[in-house]
Amino acid sequence: MKRLVCVLICMLLASSAISFAEDAYIPVYTLDDLAAMGRSPWGRYRLMNDIDMGSVEWVPMPFSGEFDGGGHCLYNLRVVAPGPDSRITRDGNRKEYDTVFLGLFSVLDGASVHNLRITGAYVATENTGHCFAAILAGMMDRSSVSAVFVSGRVHMTNRAVMAGVAGVVGYGCGTLDRCEARVELVFEDRNLESRCEEFMGGILACGIGTVNACSVDIDGYDSCHGYVHNGGLVGMYYHCGMEYDEAPVTNNIISGRITFFEENPDRRAYCEATVGEPLSKPTRTNGNIDTFESQETKNYDVVLLPETCEVPAYETLVTPPTAASWGYTQHRCSGCGYHWTDSYTPPRG
Ligand SMILES: [Zn+2]
């Protein structure tokens, strides 16, 4: 009898341990907790509260686990250098490039990220190597991103060939569902020696997969001495040699504009609301709505930037938080009216 009881108790303990393991998320409360994800990148994590990331220059890390944002916000993310890892990317001719990545994550590999907000991000690089930069991840490989909101600025000063900027993900394959991007994207091409392969998209700069029910408000600036692949939603839709099938690009809402030039005697200048260049065809493209504007210029001497004054004059206006709303600092040029916001502060309530 004693043995039977022991066996029963052992079985109970074992089954509860299994169900605990199935439900177990590692809680993320602090910036240190967030950085620790890089040491066990295959884990399951849940963000437990908002985190101010403004005190560090964040180092992008590869991630292959699950990250549940719990509806919380990472604010004031600042990324000014690529992560330590690199991957091969391929252009429309499947030419290969050893490439580095900027974002909260460098590469999402078989990862799932959902229900997360990233507010007031600043991602900037002056890259001599091939590079993709975005707010959530520079690259994704067979990953799922859903209900992720990003806002902020991504600015690339490019001296390489294969390069792109995006709101949510730079390059790759997977699913992007119910994401929202309110972004300013800038691509300044300083490589005058060779023609770059440039990509820009509010959600995804270059890649393939499902893009469904996303919302974009984009303000893009692209000065390119190579080949432009720009989309309000997706810059170029193509498998790029990745083993991933065409999928629906449906029910997205795209507003804003991309102002660009393509200095190239072989000019193609892809710039469309939904998909800039559909080198692969999405299986469906119904339900996409846009008020997107493609604004091409032909003056190749003037770098296209959101700030247009020769001598900008910035005024700083701090809006304090209230019980229910976020505070922030706005920087506004009194000459041209260009402005951005940073230094978010959480509601007091
Ligand atoms: Zn100005």
Side-chain angles (χ1 to χ4, degrees):
M1 186 62 189
K2 252 185 190 171
R3 179 177 284 182
L4 181 61
V5 169
C6 180
V7 166
L8 282 172
I9 288 172
C10 287
M11 283 171 68
L12 271 172
L13 281 174
S15 69
S16 70
I18 287 165
S19 71
F20 176 74
E22 279 171 353
D23 299 342
Y25 283 92
I26 301 162
V28 174
Y29 292 96
T30 65
L31 206 46
D32 286 344
D33 293 344
L34 202 58
M37 288 168 58
R39 295 196 285 276
S40 303
W42 50 85
R44 301 179 77 199
Y45 298 88
R46 179 172 284 153
L47 188 59
M48 306 304 287
N49 45 247
D50 301 335
I51 297 177
D52 185 356
M53 302 187 72
S55 59
V56 296
E57 286 185 352
W58 181 252
V59 179
M61 59 189 182
F63 185 66
S64 50
E66 178 186 348
F67 187 46
D68 174 9
H72 299 297
C73 181
L74 302 174
Y75 56 103
N76 303 329
L77 169 69
R78 187 178 160 81
V79 182
V80 293
D85 50 325
S86 67
R87 286 285 191 111
I88 296 295
T89 61
R90 297 175 196 85
D91 64 19
N93 298 312
R94 297 207 223 173
K95 189 173 173 205
E96 296 190 343
Y97 304 87
D98 195 20
T99 307
V100 293
F101 305 97
L102 291 92
L104 175 67
F105 300 106
S106 52
V107 178
L108 294 173
D109 187 344
S112 166
V113 180
H114 48 94
N115 210 13
L116 174 68
R117 299 178 69 81
I118 307 176
T119 299
Y122 178 64
V123 180
T125 179
E126 182 159 351
N127 51 296
T128 50
H130 311 301
C131 183
F132 280 83
I135 292 174
L136 179 67
M139 175 176 176
M140 68 174 179
D141 187 357
R142 287 159 293 178
S143 295
S144 163
V145 177
S146 62
V148 170
F149 166 91
V150 301
S151 73
R153 301 183 290 148
V154 182
H155 192 131
M156 179 177 286
T157 306
N158 173 61
R159 296 180 195 277
V161 174
M162 182 71 171
V165 288
V168 183
V169 174
Y171 176 95
C173 59
T175 294
L176 292 150
D177 187 50
R178 289 168 290 125
C179 293
E180 183 177 349
R182 285 188 214 160
V183 286
E184 176 190 290
L185 305 179
V186 180
F187 182 85
E188 268 187 79
D189 184 19
R190 298 286 179 83
N191 177 3
L192 303 180
E193 308 303 313
S194 52
R195 295 184 200 170
C196 68
E197 296 281 352
E198 179 274 348
F199 303 87
M200 179 182 288
I203 298 292
L204 174 68
C206 176
I208 195 164
T210 298
V211 185
N212 180 59
C214 294
S215 169
V216 172
D217 188 356
I218 184 175
D219 192 17
Y221 300 84
D222 174 15
S223 311
C224 180
H225 307 281
Y227 296 98
V228 163
H229 313 80
N230 291 342
L233 190 74
V234 178
M236 181 169 87
Y237 195 84
Y238 187 50
H239 58 73
C240 296
M242 297 177 282
E243 289 181 15
Y244 206 90
D245 290 340
E246 291 88 350
V249 175
T250 43
N251 304 317
N252 300 287
I253 301 171
I254 305 123
S255 61
R257 70 208 64 75
I258 296 176
T259 305
F260 74 99
F261 67 67
E262 178 178 298
E263 185 186 16
N264 188 339
D266 202 12
R267 184 184 158 283
R268 287 149 202 189
Y270 296 106
C271 189
E272 300 290 338
T274 309
V275 173
E277 184 185 13
L279 200 50
S280 301
K281 263 200 174 358
T283 53
R284 287 187 287 125
T285 53
N286 54 297
N288 297 304
I289 302 169
D290 78 87
T291 52
F292 175 83
E293 295 168 63
S294 166
Q295 299 179 335
E296 186 175 6
T297 71
K298 299 279 175 67
N299 181 356
Y300 308 133
D301 299 328
V302 179
V303 175
L304 300 167
L305 294 169
E307 168 61 71
T308 52
C309 298
E310 255 180 59
V311 186
Y314 280 98
E315 290 162 355
T316 298
L317 181 67
V318 177
T319 299
T322 67
S325 65
W326 287 73
Y328 52 85
T329 300
Q330 186 180 78
H331 308 267
R332 177 181 287 271
C333 176
S334 55
C336 62
Y338 168 60
H339 57 89
W340 78 89
T341 52
D342 61 10
S343 304
Y344 283 77
T345 49
R348 290 196 316 264

